[in-house]
Amino acid sequence: MVMVSVFWLAFNFGIHIVLVNIIIGLAVLVPLFKYFGMKRNDSDLVNLSRKMMKWYAITYGVAGVFGTAFTVFLFSFYPFFTDVIGNLLLVPFGISIVFVGLNFFSLIAYWYGWDHWSSKTHNLIGILMGASAIMIPFGFRQVFAFLNEPIGLSFSSTNQPYLNVITAYTNPTFWPIYFKSIDGALTAGMIATMGGFGLIYLINSENKKYFEKSINMLLLPSLIGLLLMIPLGFWYLESLSGIPYKFNNIMGGLGWVIGNDGISYNFSWLFVLSMILTAIQVLAIIYIFYKGIKGSLISKGTAYSSVIAAASAVGTIESMEMLNAFSQYPRFIASLGNQQIASLPYPWNITLSTALNLTDYNSLAAAPFATFFTSVMMALMIVVLGIFIYVILFKK
């Protein structure tokens, strides 16, 4: 049975991280499309960009809600761990928070400055919007890399832990997961955009021109991005070879085991699922290419294919993020087992022996009444968000 703490963390993080990936993609695509539309005097492309801007703003807001919920649950179930890691990794968290702020304010400025500022000013804000979105994972993925292996963790003469930030960014798992994240976010954003316009074309054929624009602009780049995910994914997997516990939980079920520890929890099925979903995206995009060669690039069939590709892209992000998280269960830091924790200076070898274990959660936060109340409030929140999305996007 899944622990209530793990369920709520996975539920909120899963939704949040999917939306964040789409946000990063849209933050780059929106100003890019608007720039090309203005340069080519293509009003349809400018209008398409404006529609995407609305998607971007809504996705940003909903992602923020679930990101906040995830943080609240993390504090509630694991207060000591959150306090220690929050202070230790203050710089990486700070880097991301700065760029989150820049992205938020550039989003607002870009939205409200659309018809009010000069094209040059608007384009500069668009560059800031895209660049700040790409830089958000630069801090957060460092946190993930640290949770793989605590490279940069040092202790003062009084045994107080601190992070050597420069050393931390030499973590062999950081650069693979960062570049993989950026490529994945841009690719998912492109595929989600095509799927979104494919869906509104299926709902109303008057939107055909927008679907056609998105396909013409994004079909080839999205295929390139998908194919690039393969070497980047295996680069990250290879970087985990120095962490046998996590690597074996990912690949052990497929017969690839490192060291003598064996498999603690077999999550190879999530890896296989991710590969299947990636293959579905590739096949859907190749099908659209094929229909284009045959002279029917824009049709109900290619629209359905784009929607399938978009749904598979969302599923791929979810499955890969869950694989990365669950493969180190029940450890907060994958490379630190009981023996490694015991080798840390006193008193951290004592206090962290429980704080770094997901099974040692705050029992008060998981009490039956708290769980019931939380479930009711989360259900209400989801209903409200559903109504919000409907009113903004669909209500006439």
Side-chain angles (χ1 to χ4, degrees):
M1 182 177 179
V2 177
M3 296 185 305
V4 65
S5 60
V6 173
F7 169 78
W8 284 121
L9 289 177
F11 177 80
N12 286 279
F13 177 74
I15 296 175
H16 172 72
I17 199 67
V18 166
L19 297 178
V20 165
N21 275 266
I22 295 174
I23 285 169
I24 293 173
L26 290 176
V28 173
L29 294 175
V30 167
L32 196 62
F33 278 20
K34 199 254 182 179
Y35 170 77
F36 282 125
M38 296 295 290
K39 187 175 182 179
R40 299 171 184 175
N41 198 27
D42 187 338
S43 59
D44 287 340
L45 192 54
V46 173
N47 290 335
L48 178 135
S49 175
R50 185 165 236 157
K51 289 179 179 292
M52 290 168 63
M53 187 68 198
K54 182 180 287 188
W55 297 355
Y56 175 29
I58 294 171
T59 306
Y60 195 102
V62 177
V65 169
F66 282 99
T68 302
F70 171 76
T71 306
V72 170
F73 279 115
L74 192 60
F75 267 109
S76 300
F77 287 112
Y78 304 100
F80 181 73
F81 167 81
T82 308
D83 178 52
V84 171
I85 294 298
N87 283 280
L88 190 61
L89 301 181
L90 185 61
V91 172
F93 277 123
I95 290 172
S96 285
I97 290 170
V98 167
F99 285 109
V100 167
L102 285 173
N103 188 250
F104 176 69
F105 286 111
S106 60
L107 183 159
I108 294 173
Y110 198 80
W111 177 281
Y112 287 102
W114 197 289
D115 294 319
H116 300 91
W117 297 333
S118 68
S119 295
K120 183 177 180 180
T121 300
H122 205 231
N123 289 336
L124 288 174
I125 295 172
I127 292 172
L128 176 62
M129 188 168 70
S132 59
I134 289 174
M135 286 301 295
I136 290 172
F138 192 78
F140 284 135
R141 285 312 189 187
Q142 175 54 52
V143 174
F144 278 77
F146 186 90
L147 296 181
N148 285 334
E149 188 172 6
I151 303 295
L153 175 62
S154 304
F155 291 88
S156 68
S157 57
T158 57
N159 285 344
Q160 292 300 310
Y162 67 93
L163 183 71
N164 185 319
V165 178
I166 295 176
T167 303
Y169 275 97
T170 65
N171 191 313
T173 69
F174 169 72
W175 293 104
I177 195 174
Y178 175 68
F179 285 122
K180 175 177 173 290
S181 297
I182 297 303
D183 179 61
L186 294 176
T187 303
M190 290 188 286
I191 294 175
T193 297
M194 292 189 293
F197 284 111
L199 181 61
I200 65 172
Y201 163 55
L202 291 171
I203 294 172
N204 186 345
S205 60
E206 292 181 1
N207 294 306
K208 179 179 178 179
K209 59 183 179 180
Y210 296 123
F211 177 50
E212 183 175 11
K213 288 287 182 183
S214 67
I215 290 292
N216 287 333
M217 293 288 290
L218 300 176
L219 190 62
L220 180 59
S222 63
L223 179 60
I224 294 172
L226 270 176
L227 296 177
L228 188 58
M229 282 292 291
I230 298 173
L232 288 174
F234 280 99
W235 181 23
Y236 178 56
L237 188 63
E238 188 277 332
S239 74
L240 294 176
S241 60
I243 311 171
Y245 183 86
K246 186 166 187 170
F247 184 92
N248 292 347
N249 288 342
I250 295 174
M251 300 302 296
L254 301 175
W256 196 357
V257 178
I258 293 176
N260 301 318
D261 295 335
I263 307 169
S264 298
Y265 296 91
N266 186 1
F267 287 104
S268 298
W269 64 273
L270 270 174
F271 177 81
V272 173
L273 177 61
S274 299
M275 296 301 100
I276 292 173
L277 290 171
T278 301
I280 291 173
Q281 294 173 72
V282 173
L283 291 174
I285 290 174
I286 289 176
Y287 172 78
I288 297 173
F289 268 115
Y290 170 76
K291 296 297 287 185
I293 293 172
K294 291 293 184 178
S296 54
L297 178 63
I298 306 303
S299 65
K300 298 293 185 181
T302 56
Y304 279 116
S305 294
S306 68
V307 173
I308 291 171
S312 299
V314 168
T316 303
I317 295 170
E318 181 79 7
S319 61
M320 285 186 171
E321 292 292 343
M322 292 301 102
L323 175 63
N324 188 55
F326 284 130
S327 58
Q328 61 195 64
Y329 179 84
R331 302 177 179 182
F332 267 112
I333 298 180
S335 64
L336 295 186
N338 292 331
Q339 184 177 352
Q340 290 78 15
I341 294 173
S343 66
L344 297 175
Y346 178 84
W348 299 103
N349 55 351
I350 305 297
T351 56
L352 292 181
S353 62
T354 56
L356 295 181
N357 192 320
L358 277 160
T359 62
D360 292 316
Y361 53 84
N362 178 9
S363 57
L364 182 62
F369 175 76
T371 301
F372 172 77
F373 184 76
T374 298
S375 300
V376 171
M377 291 298 104
M378 288 294 296
L380 288 174
M381 184 185 79
I382 292 170
V383 170
V384 170
L385 287 174
I387 295 172
F388 167 74
I389 293 171
Y390 168 76
V391 169
I392 297 297
L393 290 181
F394 300 106
K395 188 175 181 180
K396 297 294 185 180

